[in-house]
PDB file of all heavy atoms in Angstrom:
ATOM      1  N   SER A  51     -11.275  -3.802 -10.249  1.00 94.00           N
ATOM      2  CA  SER A  51     -10.456  -3.856 -11.449  1.00 94.00           C
ATOM      3  C   SER A  51      -9.033  -3.401 -11.143  1.00 94.00           C
ATOM      4  O   SER A  51      -8.756  -2.844 -10.083  1.00 94.00           O
ATOM      5  CB  SER A  51     -11.057  -2.940 -12.524  1.00 94.00           C
ATOM      6  OG  SER A  51     -10.978  -1.585 -12.093  1.00 94.00           O
ATOM      7  N   ARG A  52      -8.141  -3.639 -12.098  1.00 95.00           N
ATOM      8  CA  ARG A  52      -6.734  -3.258 -11.893  1.00 95.00           C
ATOM      9  C   ARG A  52      -6.614  -1.761 -11.621  1.00 95.00           C
ATOM     10  O   ARG A  52      -5.852  -1.332 -10.743  1.00 95.00           O
ATOM     11  CB  ARG A  52      -5.906  -3.639 -13.135  1.00 95.00           C
ATOM     12  CG  ARG A  52      -4.430  -3.191 -13.074  1.00 95.00           C
ATOM     13  CD  ARG A  52      -3.667  -3.960 -12.018  1.00 95.00           C
ATOM     14  NE  ARG A  52      -2.336  -3.464 -11.790  1.00 95.00           N
ATOM     15  CZ  ARG A  52      -1.239  -3.952 -12.374  1.00 95.00           C
ATOM     16  NH1 ARG A  52      -1.327  -4.925 -13.266  1.00 95.00           N
ATOM     17  NH2 ARG A  52      -0.052  -3.473 -12.068  1.00 95.00           N
ATOM     18  N   GLN A  53      -7.358  -0.952 -12.358  1.00 95.00           N
ATOM     19  CA  GLN A  53      -7.264   0.497 -12.184  1.00 95.00           C
ATOM     20  C   GLN A  53      -7.691   0.914 -10.775  1.00 95.00           C
ATOM     21  O   GLN A  53      -7.006   1.700 -10.116  1.00 95.00           O
ATOM     22  CB  GLN A  53      -8.121   1.214 -13.224  1.00 95.00           C
ATOM     23  CG  GLN A  53      -8.015   2.739 -13.162  1.00 95.00           C
ATOM     24  CD  GLN A  53      -8.852   3.424 -14.237  1.00 95.00           C
ATOM     25  OE1 GLN A  53      -9.646   2.792 -14.916  1.00 95.00           O
ATOM     26  NE2 GLN A  53      -8.657   4.720 -14.393  1.00 95.00           N
ATOM     27  N   SER A  54      -8.812   0.385 -10.319  1.00 95.00           N
ATOM     28  CA  SER A  54      -9.293   0.738  -8.977  1.00 95.00           C
ATOM     29  C   SER A  54      -8.386   0.156  -7.901  1.00 95.00           C
ATOM     30  O   SER A  54      -8.112   0.811  -6.882  1.00 95.00           O
ATOM     31  CB  SER A  54     -10.721   0.231  -8.782  1.00 95.00           C
ATOM     32  OG  SER A  54     -11.617   0.869  -9.664  1.00 95.00           O
ATOM     33  N   MET A  55      -7.896  -1.071  -8.131  1.00 96.00           N
ATOM     34  CA  MET A  55      -7.027  -1.663  -7.123  1.00 96.00           C
ATOM     35  C   MET A  55      -5.712  -0.910  -7.018  1.00 96.00           C
ATOM     36  O   MET A  55      -5.158  -0.754  -5.926  1.00 96.00           O
ATOM     37  CB  MET A  55      -6.766  -3.140  -7.408  1.00 96.00           C
ATOM     38  CG  MET A  55      -6.131  -3.852  -6.213  1.00 96.00           C
ATOM     39  SD  MET A  55      -5.644  -5.562  -6.509  1.00 96.00           S
ATOM     40  CE  MET A  55      -7.237  -6.331  -6.731  1.00 96.00           C
ATOM     41  N   ASP A  56      -5.197  -0.434  -8.150  1.00 96.00           N
ATOM     42  CA  ASP A  56      -3.968   0.371  -8.100  1.00 96.00           C
ATOM     43  C   ASP A  56      -4.163   1.603  -7.218  1.00 96.00           C
ATOM     44  O   ASP A  56      -3.263   2.001  -6.478  1.00 96.00           O
ATOM     45  CB  ASP A  56      -3.559   0.809  -9.506  1.00 96.00           C
ATOM     46  CG  ASP A  56      -2.899  -0.311 -10.303  1.00 96.00           C
ATOM     47  OD1 ASP A  56      -2.605  -1.365  -9.709  1.00 96.00           O
ATOM     48  OD2 ASP A  56      -2.684  -0.127 -11.510  1.00 96.00           O
ATOM     49  N   LYS A  57      -5.347   2.204  -7.298  1.00 95.00           N
ATOM     50  CA  LYS A  57      -5.636   3.366  -6.446  1.00 95.00           C
ATOM     51  C   LYS A  57      -5.656   2.962  -4.971  1.00 95.00           C
ATOM     52  O   LYS A  57      -5.147   3.675  -4.105  1.00 95.00           O
ATOM     53  CB  LYS A  57      -6.976   3.992  -6.841  1.00 95.00           C
ATOM     54  CG  LYS A  57      -6.996   4.640  -8.216  1.00 95.00           C
ATOM     55  CD  LYS A  57      -8.385   5.200  -8.527  1.00 95.00           C
ATOM     56  CE  LYS A  57      -8.441   5.799  -9.913  1.00 95.00           C
ATOM     57  NZ  LYS A  57      -9.808   6.299 -10.238  1.00 95.00           N
ATOM     58  N   LEU A  58      -6.272   1.807  -4.687  1.00 95.00           N
ATOM     59  CA  LEU A  58      -6.315   1.326  -3.309  1.00 95.00           C
ATOM     60  C   LEU A  58      -4.910   1.060  -2.782  1.00 95.00           C
ATOM     61  O   LEU A  58      -4.570   1.424  -1.643  1.00 95.00           O
ATOM     62  CB  LEU A  58      -7.160   0.055  -3.210  1.00 95.00           C
ATOM     63  CG  LEU A  58      -8.674   0.202  -3.304  1.00 95.00           C
ATOM     64  CD1 LEU A  58      -9.342  -1.165  -3.255  1.00 95.00           C
ATOM     65  CD2 LEU A  58      -9.225   1.084  -2.179  1.00 95.00           C
ATOM     66  N   ILE A  59      -4.093   0.407  -3.604  1.00 96.00           N
ATOM     67  CA  ILE A  59      -2.740   0.078  -3.163  1.00 96.00           C
ATOM     68  C   ILE A  59      -1.908   1.347  -2.985  1.00 96.00           C
ATOM     69  O   ILE A  59      -1.063   1.428  -2.085  1.00 96.00           O
ATOM     70  CB  ILE A  59      -2.072  -0.889  -4.160  1.00 96.00           C
ATOM     71  CG1 ILE A  59      -2.839  -2.219  -4.193  1.00 96.00           C
ATOM     72  CG2 ILE A  59      -0.620  -1.131  -3.787  1.00 96.00           C
ATOM     73  CD1 ILE A  59      -3.007  -2.880  -2.845  1.00 96.00           C
ATOM     74  N   ASN A  60      -2.156   2.352  -3.818  1.00 95.00           N
ATOM     75  CA  ASN A  60      -1.474   3.634  -3.637  1.00 95.00           C
ATOM     76  C   ASN A  60      -1.855   4.265  -2.301  1.00 95.00           C
ATOM     77  O   ASN A  60      -1.003   4.791  -1.575  1.00 95.00           O
ATOM     78  CB  ASN A  60      -1.823   4.577  -4.793  1.00 95.00           C
ATOM     79  CG  ASN A  60      -1.033   5.868  -4.740  1.00 95.00           C
ATOM     80  OD1 ASN A  60       0.190   5.859  -4.748  1.00 95.00           O
ATOM     81  ND2 ASN A  60      -1.734   6.993  -4.676  1.00 95.00           N
ATOM     82  N   THR A  61      -3.159   4.189  -1.962  1.00 92.00           N
ATOM     83  CA  THR A  61      -3.612   4.678  -0.654  1.00 92.00           C
ATOM     84  C   THR A  61      -2.982   3.871   0.465  1.00 92.00           C
ATOM     85  O   THR A  61      -2.576   4.410   1.502  1.00 92.00           O
ATOM     86  CB  THR A  61      -5.146   4.590  -0.560  1.00 92.00           C
ATOM     87  OG1 THR A  61      -5.734   5.408  -1.577  1.00 92.00           O
ATOM     88  CG2 THR A  61      -5.641   5.047   0.802  1.00 92.00           C
ATOM     89  N   PHE A  62      -2.883   2.580   0.242  1.00 94.00           N
ATOM     90  CA  PHE A  62      -2.270   1.711   1.252  1.00 94.00           C
ATOM     91  C   PHE A  62      -0.827   2.119   1.510  1.00 94.00           C
ATOM     92  O   PHE A  62      -0.406   2.279   2.667  1.00 94.00           O
ATOM     93  CB  PHE A  62      -2.342   0.259   0.779  1.00 94.00           C
ATOM     94  CG  PHE A  62      -1.643  -0.710   1.697  1.00 94.00           C
ATOM     95  CD1 PHE A  62      -2.218  -1.084   2.901  1.00 94.00           C
ATOM     96  CD2 PHE A  62      -0.402  -1.241   1.353  1.00 94.00           C
ATOM     97  CE1 PHE A  62      -1.568  -1.970   3.756  1.00 94.00           C
ATOM     98  CE2 PHE A  62       0.249  -2.129   2.199  1.00 94.00           C
ATOM     99  CZ  PHE A  62      -0.338  -2.493   3.400  1.00 94.00           C
ATOM    100  N   ASN A  63      -0.061   2.298   0.447  1.00 93.00           N
ATOM    101  CA  ASN A  63       1.359   2.620   0.617  1.00 93.00           C
ATOM    102  C   ASN A  63       1.581   4.005   1.204  1.00 93.00           C
ATOM    103  O   ASN A  63       2.567   4.226   1.909  1.00 93.00           O
ATOM    104  CB  ASN A  63       2.075   2.522  -0.732  1.00 93.00           C
ATOM    105  CG  ASN A  63       2.323   1.095  -1.151  1.00 93.00           C
ATOM    106  OD1 ASN A  63       2.513   0.221  -0.319  1.00 93.00           O
ATOM    107  ND2 ASN A  63       2.307   0.840  -2.448  1.00 93.00           N
ATOM    108  N   ASN A  64       0.681   4.939   0.923  1.00 90.00           N
ATOM    109  CA  ASN A  64       0.875   6.319   1.357  1.00 90.00           C
ATOM    110  C   ASN A  64       0.135   6.689   2.637  1.00 90.00           C
ATOM    111  O   ASN A  64       0.304   7.804   3.141  1.00 90.00           O
ATOM    112  CB  ASN A  64       0.448   7.282   0.241  1.00 90.00           C
ATOM    113  CG  ASN A  64       1.347   7.186  -0.976  1.00 90.00           C
ATOM    114  OD1 ASN A  64       2.560   7.060  -0.844  1.00 90.00           O
ATOM    115  ND2 ASN A  64       0.762   7.226  -2.164  1.00 90.00           N
ATOM    116  N   ASP A  65      -0.689   5.766   3.147  1.00 89.00           N
ATOM    117  CA  ASP A  65      -1.462   6.096   4.343  1.00 89.00           C
ATOM    118  C   ASP A  65      -1.661   4.890   5.253  1.00 89.00           C
ATOM    119  O   ASP A  65      -1.059   4.792   6.323  1.00 89.00           O
ATOM    120  CB  ASP A  65      -2.820   6.679   3.942  1.00 89.00           C
ATOM    121  CG  ASP A  65      -3.666   7.084   5.142  1.00 89.00           C
ATOM    122  OD1 ASP A  65      -3.107   7.189   6.248  1.00 89.00           O
ATOM    123  OD2 ASP A  65      -4.879   7.300   4.973  1.00 89.00           O
ATOM    124  N   VAL A  66      -2.481   3.953   4.805  1.00 91.00           N
ATOM    125  CA  VAL A  66      -2.902   2.847   5.673  1.00 91.00           C
ATOM    126  C   VAL A  66      -1.715   2.061   6.223  1.00 91.00           C
ATOM    127  O   VAL A  66      -1.661   1.741   7.414  1.00 91.00           O
ATOM    128  CB  VAL A  66      -3.870   1.910   4.915  1.00 91.00           C
ATOM    129  CG1 VAL A  66      -4.230   0.695   5.765  1.00 91.00           C
ATOM    130  CG2 VAL A  66      -5.131   2.668   4.515  1.00 91.00           C
ATOM    131  N   ASN A  67      -0.753   1.762   5.380  1.00 94.00           N
ATOM    132  CA  ASN A  67       0.382   0.938   5.825  1.00 94.00           C
ATOM    133  C   ASN A  67       1.223   1.631   6.885  1.00 94.00           C
ATOM    134  O   ASN A  67       1.883   0.973   7.692  1.00 94.00           O
ATOM    135  CB  ASN A  67       1.264   0.561   4.628  1.00 94.00           C
ATOM    136  CG  ASN A  67       2.289  -0.500   4.973  1.00 94.00           C
ATOM    137  OD1 ASN A  67       2.013  -1.439   5.715  1.00 94.00           O
ATOM    138  ND2 ASN A  67       3.491  -0.364   4.437  1.00 94.00           N
ATOM    139  N   TYR A  68       1.224   2.970   6.891  1.00 92.00           N
ATOM    140  CA  TYR A  68       2.018   3.696   7.867  1.00 92.00           C
ATOM    141  C   TYR A  68       1.502   3.557   9.297  1.00 92.00           C
ATOM    142  O   TYR A  68       2.227   3.862  10.247  1.00 92.00           O
ATOM    143  CB  TYR A  68       2.078   5.191   7.503  1.00 92.00           C
ATOM    144  CG  TYR A  68       2.947   5.495   6.313  1.00 92.00           C
ATOM    145  CD1 TYR A  68       2.621   6.522   5.435  1.00 92.00           C
ATOM    146  CD2 TYR A  68       4.107   4.776   6.064  1.00 92.00           C
ATOM    147  CE1 TYR A  68       3.414   6.810   4.338  1.00 92.00           C
ATOM    148  CE2 TYR A  68       4.906   5.060   4.966  1.00 92.00           C
ATOM    149  CZ  TYR A  68       4.554   6.074   4.115  1.00 92.00           C
ATOM    150  OH  TYR A  68       5.349   6.367   3.025  1.00 92.00           O
ATOM    151  N   HIS A  69       0.262   3.118   9.452  1.00 91.00           N
ATOM    152  CA  HIS A  69      -0.284   3.012  10.802  1.00 91.00           C
ATOM    153  C   HIS A  69       0.559   2.071  11.662  1.00 91.00           C
ATOM    154  O   HIS A  69       0.896   2.387  12.801  1.00 91.00           O
ATOM    155  CB  HIS A  69      -1.733   2.526  10.757  1.00 91.00           C
ATOM    156  CG  HIS A  69      -2.645   3.496  10.078  1.00 91.00           C
ATOM    157  ND1 HIS A  69      -3.958   3.203   9.788  1.00 91.00           N
ATOM    158  CD2 HIS A  69      -2.454   4.764   9.633  1.00 91.00           C
ATOM    159  CE1 HIS A  69      -4.522   4.236   9.187  1.00 91.00           C
ATOM    160  NE2 HIS A  69      -3.632   5.195   9.091  1.00 91.00           N
ATOM    161  N   TYR A  70       0.885   0.906  11.117  1.00 94.00           N
ATOM    162  CA  TYR A  70       1.700  -0.063  11.868  1.00 94.00           C
ATOM    163  C   TYR A  70       2.867  -0.608  11.051  1.00 94.00           C
ATOM    164  O   TYR A  70       3.698  -1.324  11.582  1.00 94.00           O
ATOM    165  CB  TYR A  70       0.818  -1.216  12.361  1.00 94.00           C
ATOM    166  CG  TYR A  70      -0.315  -0.737  13.229  1.00 94.00           C
ATOM    167  CD1 TYR A  70      -1.626  -0.728  12.755  1.00 94.00           C
ATOM    168  CD2 TYR A  70      -0.085  -0.264  14.518  1.00 94.00           C
ATOM    169  CE1 TYR A  70      -2.673  -0.275  13.538  1.00 94.00           C
ATOM    170  CE2 TYR A  70      -1.125   0.200  15.311  1.00 94.00           C
ATOM    171  CZ  TYR A  70      -2.415   0.185  14.814  1.00 94.00           C
ATOM    172  OH  TYR A  70      -3.445   0.649  15.593  1.00 94.00           O
ATOM    173  N   TYR A  71       2.911  -0.326   9.768  1.00 95.00           N
ATOM    174  CA  TYR A  71       4.007  -0.717   8.876  1.00 95.00           C
ATOM    175  C   TYR A  71       4.236  -2.226   8.908  1.00 95.00           C
ATOM    176  O   TYR A  71       5.360  -2.702   9.042  1.00 95.00           O
ATOM    177  CB  TYR A  71       5.280   0.037   9.242  1.00 95.00           C
ATOM    178  CG  TYR A  71       6.166   0.322   8.043  1.00 95.00           C
ATOM    179  CD1 TYR A  71       5.687   1.047   6.957  1.00 95.00           C
ATOM    180  CD2 TYR A  71       7.474  -0.124   7.997  1.00 95.00           C
ATOM    181  CE1 TYR A  71       6.489   1.311   5.859  1.00 95.00           C
ATOM    182  CE2 TYR A  71       8.293   0.121   6.910  1.00 95.00           C
ATOM    183  CZ  TYR A  71       7.791   0.847   5.846  1.00 95.00           C
ATOM    184  OH  TYR A  71       8.595   1.114   4.754  1.00 95.00           O
ATOM    185  N   ILE A  72       3.151  -2.957   8.740  1.00 97.00           N
ATOM    186  CA  ILE A  72       3.217  -4.416   8.698  1.00 97.00           C
ATOM    187  C   ILE A  72       3.911  -4.885   7.425  1.00 97.00           C
ATOM    188  O   ILE A  72       4.585  -5.914   7.406  1.00 97.00           O
ATOM    189  CB  ILE A  72       1.794  -5.004   8.795  1.00 97.00           C
ATOM    190  CG1 ILE A  72       1.143  -4.595  10.129  1.00 97.00           C
ATOM    191  CG2 ILE A  72       1.801  -6.515   8.643  1.00 97.00           C
ATOM    192  CD1 ILE A  72      -0.356  -4.872  10.176  1.00 97.00           C
ATOM    193  N   ILE A  73       3.746  -4.130   6.338  1.00 97.00           N
ATOM    194  CA  ILE A  73       4.265  -4.501   5.022  1.00 97.00           C
ATOM    195  C   ILE A  73       5.470  -3.639   4.658  1.00 97.00           C
ATOM    196  O   ILE A  73       5.447  -2.420   4.841  1.00 97.00           O
ATOM    197  CB  ILE A  73       3.168  -4.318   3.948  1.00 97.00           C
ATOM    198  CG1 ILE A  73       1.998  -5.282   4.205  1.00 97.00           C
ATOM    199  CG2 ILE A  73       3.734  -4.506   2.548  1.00 97.00           C
ATOM    200  CD1 ILE A  73       2.321  -6.735   4.011  1.00 97.00           C
ATOM    201  N   TYR A  74       6.513  -4.274   4.128  1.00 95.00           N
ATOM    202  CA  TYR A  74       7.640  -3.535   3.568  1.00 95.00           C
ATOM    203  C   TYR A  74       7.326  -3.292   2.093  1.00 95.00           C
ATOM    204  O   TYR A  74       7.302  -4.234   1.288  1.00 95.00           O
ATOM    205  CB  TYR A  74       8.932  -4.332   3.731  1.00 95.00           C
ATOM    206  CG  TYR A  74      10.153  -3.641   3.191  1.00 95.00           C
ATOM    207  CD1 TYR A  74      10.541  -2.397   3.684  1.00 95.00           C
ATOM    208  CD2 TYR A  74      10.923  -4.228   2.194  1.00 95.00           C
ATOM    209  CE1 TYR A  74      11.661  -1.750   3.192  1.00 95.00           C
ATOM    210  CE2 TYR A  74      12.053  -3.594   1.697  1.00 95.00           C
ATOM    211  CZ  TYR A  74      12.419  -2.349   2.198  1.00 95.00           C
ATOM    212  OH  TYR A  74      13.517  -1.708   1.713  1.00 95.00           O
ATOM    213  N   PRO A  75       7.035  -2.049   1.686  1.00 94.00           N
ATOM    214  CA  PRO A  75       6.480  -1.777   0.353  1.00 94.00           C
ATOM    215  C   PRO A  75       7.252  -2.337  -0.837  1.00 94.00           C
ATOM    216  O   PRO A  75       6.633  -2.891  -1.751  1.00 94.00           O
ATOM    217  CB  PRO A  75       6.401  -0.245   0.316  1.00 94.00           C
ATOM    218  CG  PRO A  75       6.260   0.153   1.744  1.00 94.00           C
ATOM    219  CD  PRO A  75       7.109  -0.818   2.504  1.00 94.00           C
ATOM    220  N   PRO A  76       8.594  -2.219  -0.901  1.00 94.00           N
ATOM    221  CA  PRO A  76       9.282  -2.742  -2.094  1.00 94.00           C
ATOM    222  C   PRO A  76       9.012  -4.220  -2.351  1.00 94.00           C
ATOM    223  O   PRO A  76       8.804  -4.633  -3.495  1.00 94.00           O
ATOM    224  CB  PRO A  76      10.766  -2.477  -1.789  1.00 94.00           C
ATOM    225  CG  PRO A  76      10.747  -1.305  -0.872  1.00 94.00           C
ATOM    226  CD  PRO A  76       9.536  -1.515  -0.006  1.00 94.00           C
ATOM    227  N   ASP A  77       9.018  -5.027  -1.294  1.00 95.00           N
ATOM    228  CA  ASP A  77       8.743  -6.459  -1.456  1.00 95.00           C
ATOM    229  C   ASP A  77       7.308  -6.682  -1.914  1.00 95.00           C
ATOM    230  O   ASP A  77       7.038  -7.479  -2.820  1.00 95.00           O
ATOM    231  CB  ASP A  77       8.972  -7.195  -0.134  1.00 95.00           C
ATOM    232  CG  ASP A  77      10.436  -7.295   0.233  1.00 95.00           C
ATOM    233  OD1 ASP A  77      11.284  -6.888  -0.587  1.00 95.00           O
ATOM    234  OD2 ASP A  77      10.738  -7.754   1.348  1.00 95.00           O
ATOM    235  N   PHE A  78       6.387  -5.989  -1.279  1.00 97.00           N
ATOM    236  CA  PHE A  78       4.975  -6.180  -1.594  1.00 97.00           C
ATOM    237  C   PHE A  78       4.657  -5.776  -3.035  1.00 97.00           C
ATOM    238  O   PHE A  78       3.947  -6.490  -3.753  1.00 97.00           O
ATOM    239  CB  PHE A  78       4.106  -5.382  -0.625  1.00 97.00           C
ATOM    240  CG  PHE A  78       2.643  -5.404  -0.970  1.00 97.00           C
ATOM    241  CD1 PHE A  78       1.863  -6.510  -0.682  1.00 97.00           C
ATOM    242  CD2 PHE A  78       2.048  -4.317  -1.604  1.00 97.00           C
ATOM    243  CE1 PHE A  78       0.519  -6.545  -1.010  1.00 97.00           C
ATOM    244  CE2 PHE A  78       0.709  -4.343  -1.942  1.00 97.00           C
ATOM    245  CZ  PHE A  78      -0.060  -5.459  -1.644  1.00 97.00           C
ATOM    246  N   LEU A  79       5.170  -4.648  -3.478  1.00 96.00           N
ATOM    247  CA  LEU A  79       4.867  -4.166  -4.832  1.00 96.00           C
ATOM    248  C   LEU A  79       5.411  -5.114  -5.897  1.00 96.00           C
ATOM    249  O   LEU A  79       4.792  -5.309  -6.948  1.00 96.00           O
ATOM    250  CB  LEU A  79       5.431  -2.760  -5.024  1.00 96.00           C
ATOM    251  CG  LEU A  79       4.702  -1.661  -4.239  1.00 96.00           C
ATOM    252  CD1 LEU A  79       5.419  -0.324  -4.397  1.00 96.00           C
ATOM    253  CD2 LEU A  79       3.253  -1.535  -4.692  1.00 96.00           C
TER     254      LEU A  79
END
């Protein structure tokens, strides 16, 4: 759901994405 996915994306931006920084967060959001 949107609520759960928002939590996942928050984890992505604050942790997972930092591993290799494949995504530029402002564009993705």
Side-chain angles (χ1 to χ4, degrees):
S51 66
R52 176 68 188 265
Q53 183 178 10
S54 296
M55 193 186 293
D56 283 351
K57 293 179 182 178
L58 286 177
I59 296 305
N60 186 58
T61 299
F62 176 75
N63 284 329
N64 294 320
D65 182 15
V66 176
N67 191 39
Y68 287 146
H69 296 172
Y70 302 107
Y71 212 58
I72 299 167
I73 296 293
Y74 180 59
D77 289 354
F78 174 77
L79 289 175

